[in-house]
Amino acid sequence: MKNQVFSLALCFAVSATAALAGPAEEANATIDRWSATYSANDRDALVGLYAPDAILLGTTSPVISEGTEGIRQYFQDLPASGRKNTIIERRTAVLSDTLVVGTGFYNFARAAENDAPRPSRFTMVVAKRDGQWVIVHHHSSPLSAVRR
C-alpha cells in the first residue's frame, strides 16, 4: 500500500510540474537539447530538432541552409568531431503559445583546437508543431571581440 501511495504522489508531482511548464520553458528545453545534442556530436538527433522547412544561418557557412537535407549537410562534419557547445547567456521572448524566440550567447569548442572557446551569438525561433517544439529558424554568428 505504501508503494501505491508513493507512486500516486509521484504521478501527481510530475503532472503538476508538466502543467507548470509554459511555452518559454518548453522552447528553452528544446534549445538546451540542441546544445547537448551538438555536444554529443549526434548529427541525426540534432537535425531532428529542426522543422523539415527550417532555415539555418550557420556560424561557419556563407550560404543559407534550408530544410532537413540542407541542415544535415551543414552539420556533416559533426559526428565524432569532439565539438562542444555551452550556452552562456539567454533571453526568451514568448510570441504566442506556440512560438518563442530564444537569443543569447554561446561558446563553441573543438577538441582539435584544445577546446578553446569560440564565442558566438544565436537566435532560435522555436515553434510548437503537431505537439512538438522544433526549431524553425536558427541564426548563429561569431561574437565580435570588440564591444562598443
Side-chain angles (χ1 to χ4, degrees):
M1 183 69 171
K2 268 181 146 178
N3 287 341
Q4 290 173 333
V5 170
F6 177 75
S7 295
L8 189 58
L10 184 60
C11 286
F12 283 130
V14 170
S15 296
T17 301
L20 295 177
E25 293 81 10
E26 292 176 358
N28 278 318
T30 299
I31 294 170
D32 290 339
R33 273 193 302 282
W34 182 94
S35 181
T37 304
Y38 181 93
S39 295
N41 298 168
D42 188 341
R43 179 179 69 169
D44 292 335
L46 189 69
V47 171
L49 295 174
Y50 290 87
D53 58 344
I55 297 169
L56 168 64
L57 296 170
T59 312
T60 60
S61 178
V63 301
I64 297 172
S65 300
E66 292 185 75
T68 301
E69 286 311 309
I71 293 169
R72 183 181 313 283
Q73 179 68 26
Y74 178 79
F75 290 114
Q76 70 181 349
D77 296 332
L78 185 62
S81 67
R83 294 180 184 178
K84 295 180 179 80
N85 177 273
T86 305
I87 297 172
I88 305 300
E89 185 177 348
R90 176 184 351 189
R91 301 291 184 275
T92 306
V94 176
L95 303 180
S96 74
D97 288 344
T98 60
L99 194 61
V100 175
V101 177
T103 189
F105 301 111
Y106 51 21
N107 284 337
F108 288 102
R110 296 179 180 197
E113 297 172 356
N114 297 319
D115 290 325
R118 300 171 73 174
S120 298
R121 58 185 145 216
F122 71 92
T123 299
M124 291 187 195
V125 178
V126 186
K128 190 171 189 178
R129 291 187 178 171
D130 298 322
Q132 300 292 320
W133 288 90
V134 292
I135 301 164
V136 296
H137 175 81
H138 179 187
H139 174 260
S140 181
S141 59
L143 183 62
S144 172
V146 177
R147 291 197 177 194
R148 296 176 187 197

